Amino acid sequence: MSILGAVAPAPPGVAAGCRDRLVEVDRLEWRVGDGGDPAALAAAFCDRFRVPHEGAEGAVCGVAVLVSAAAGAVMVGGATGAPSPVPAVPDLVLVAYAHGPARPAVEAGGFSVGPWRASWSGADHAKAVVAVQEAIGRGEVYVANVVGHRSAPWSGDPAGIAAAVAGIEGAAWGGVLSGAGWLVASGSPEAFLTVAGERAATYPIKGTAPATAAGRAALLGSVKERAEHVMIVDLCRNDLARVAVPGSVEVERLFALARWDRLWQAESTVVCRIAPGTGLAAVLRAVCPPGSVTGTPKLAMLGLVSGLEPVGRGPAMGAFGFVQEDRVRLGVTIRTVAVDADRVHVWAGGGVTWRSVPDAEVAEAEAKAGAVIARLASLSSGTPSRSRRCGLWRVRGARRAIRRGTGAAGGWGSRVRRRTPAPWAGRGGAAGARPCRRCRRRR
Ligand SMILES: C=C(O[C@@H]1C=C(C(=O)O)C=C[C@H]1O)C(=O)O
């Protein structure tokens, strides 16, 4: 298995006592081009492992579930968007785990992340915001999330990248999953779907501001953010109603502020009682892809942004979590990175309404991506570059101590301090091989 596939799994939603005891027993990977119904595949796979949870060694623990934005779109018959910039990551990943002996804690090695390249410019992003507003004007949609992507070369220990992202402050739905040639690490604050017995809940986040006193006041007082939030709460109520006992959908919490890294976010909780006999496939079809990262009406929004975003959303803006017995716990894959052999990828966006200011939307997306990028920069030990001799990545400039965090505009940014550099620490280069002789001599 590649070094990416060897990174220890840590799906969100797994009990702390099980986290370091997961032993893979079965796996299904599916891509949009494979055809078929990902909701049915996910439900059939999970149902095989939905047995009473016993802690004993060898007993089933549960199933890690990763659903890409495109797989979610297929579940509802919506447009899947441009091709993913990380084709190595499947669109649906289901991994069943049993309990094994506790793994000793291993400190992740050092890593380096190089310069970031965006898939579109700020000006193109702003144009997409205006295109959404024109569609709102024509009555086609009334909120639509527009999402951008950027990527950078990396080297070192992918477990270090995974730990850095999953450990972002406020990443209540942080987690890690990997396979041959790919890794996904989420630093998400957003719960997507929980099901426990007959109770289902979804927790849309909508409304973002810098984590300052002024940002908090601005968010609480913003007509635009509250309107956008309530529209998405209504979408989520409608989504749950499809599988709910009639009349059981309720908003338990509305527009509560919570902090993630350097941002305030507004969050709500929408609950229902699931109608008896409703299976996981029907629940997934009702709520996927998550309302807070799509918009409304969902199908119209999917069609609209498919033509606006230059690259696909990959595993971002989807769902990632754990299914056990009669429990489902999934987070939304925002603030999430995907890593392939060469590059680390991150996506970020925000909800566009009639009242959106295009430049502010660009700055908001930069602040979200910038927080993940700054976290990686603060722990990164140098700039990766390819060795001309062997083509493998090596670390250059690892000794600079301070570097400016990337990308945050409009007063959303900050300086970050790097840790002591650890050039080529870890388990080898991006291709899973040892660095070339010249690189080894540099250590
Ligand atoms: C699209 C993203 O975030 C979504 C949009 C938000 C917003 O518009 O305020 C907030 C949380 C997310 O549900 C992202 O983080 O990239």
Side-chain angles (χ1 to χ4, degrees):
M1 193 182 278
S2 72
I3 52 162
L4 289 162
V7 175
V14 178
C18 299
R19 226 165 221 237
D20 63 349
R21 301 176 57 208
L22 299 178
V23 176
E24 182 170 334
V25 291
D26 201 358
R27 174 182 287 247
L28 186 152
E29 295 187 353
W30 175 92
R31 288 178 169 77
V32 167
D34 295 345
D37 174 2
L41 284 173
F45 187 95
C46 290
D47 286 349
R48 284 173 45 215
F49 298 95
R50 293 179 86 164
V51 295
H53 184 265
E54 293 158 9
E57 230 171 278
V60 168
C61 184
V63 177
V65 175
L66 178 67
V67 182
S68 75
V74 172
M75 287 180 191
V76 295
T80 52
S84 167
V86 207
V89 182
D91 288 300
L92 175 69
V93 184
L94 305 158
V95 187
Y97 295 103
H99 299 107
R103 267 191 309 272
V106 180
E107 206 181 312
F111 64 88
S112 302
V113 173
W116 290 84
R117 190 176 68 209
S119 293
W120 62 4
S121 65
D124 287 339
H125 184 168
K127 273 190 211 153
V129 172
V130 172
V132 168
Q133 290 177 315
E134 286 167 359
I136 294 172
R138 292 192 297 272
E140 292 167 14
V141 295
Y142 46 104
V143 192
N145 266 259
V146 170
V147 171
H149 158 266
R150 61 203 77 197
S151 69
W154 69 278
S155 68
D157 186 353
I161 296 180
V165 175
I168 293 177
E169 187 194 342
W173 292 82
V176 180
L177 195 65
S178 64
W182 64 269
L183 176 144
V184 170
S186 179
S188 175
E190 186 170 349
F192 171 37
L193 172 72
T194 59
V195 181
E198 62 171 13
R199 180 189 150 103
T202 187
Y203 310 78
I205 291 184
K206 261 281 146 251
T208 302
T212 57
R216 185 184 162 85
L219 185 51
L220 286 170
S222 166
V223 173
K224 180 259 174 189
E225 298 290 354
R226 190 170 274 268
E228 179 183 333
H229 189 98
V230 169
M231 288 190 275
I232 294 304
V233 166
D234 279 345
L235 167 66
C236 293
R237 290 169 59 201
N238 188 241
D239 282 354
L240 282 186
R242 294 204 197 101
V243 287
V245 171
S248 71
V249 178
E250 278 173 37
V251 178
E252 258 185 12
R253 213 169 46 122
L254 186 66
F255 210 77
L257 295 206
R259 193 178 159 163
W260 174 85
D261 192 70
R262 56 181 73 175
L263 302 176
W264 287 116
Q265 308 262 224
E267 186 180 308
S268 289
T269 305
V270 185
V271 301
C272 76
R273 275 188 295 124
I274 296 193
T278 309
L280 180 61
V283 176
L284 290 175
R285 282 185 208 112
V287 297
C288 282
S292 62
V293 287
T294 51
T296 185
K298 224 183 244 185
L299 286 179
M301 169 278 160
L302 288 170
L304 174 67
V305 299
S306 271
L308 297 175
E309 294 172 0
V311 300
R313 297 178 170 194
M317 314 298 145
F320 182 21
F322 210 57
V323 173
Q324 279 174 310
E325 219 182 334
D326 65 345
R327 298 161 74 103
V328 176
R329 275 167 287 178
L330 300 175
V332 181
T333 48
I334 54 171
R335 328 290 152 78
T336 294
V337 303
V339 184
D340 60 17
D342 297 316
R343 299 183 75 81
V344 51
H345 303 254
V346 67
W347 294 256
V352 177
T353 68
W354 183 250
R355 281 179 186 264
S356 287
V357 175
D359 286 348
E361 294 298 342
V362 175
E364 183 179 318
E366 294 230 341
K368 290 168 178 165
V372 176
I373 288 169
R375 168 83 174 167
L376 290 171
S378 70
L379 300 173
S380 174
S381 56
T383 308
S385 65
R386 259 192 208 282
S387 159
R388 259 187 262 128
R389 283 194 185 177
C390 66
L392 292 178
W393 290 100
R394 62 185 167 80
V395 178
R396 180 162 30 89
R399 307 241 165 240
R400 262 177 298 143
I402 298 273
R403 187 182 184 202
R404 185 171 273 290
T406 357
W412 295 70
S414 71
R415 280 176 91 83
V416 291
R417 182 173 286 276
R418 287 178 170 194
R419 262 202 192 156
T420 317
W424 278 118
R427 299 173 207 139
R434 277 151 61 80
C436 70
R437 220 181 306 144
R438 183 172 144 218
C439 300
R440 284 207 302 274
R441 270 208 308 272
R442 289 168 66 92
R443 279 203 269 189

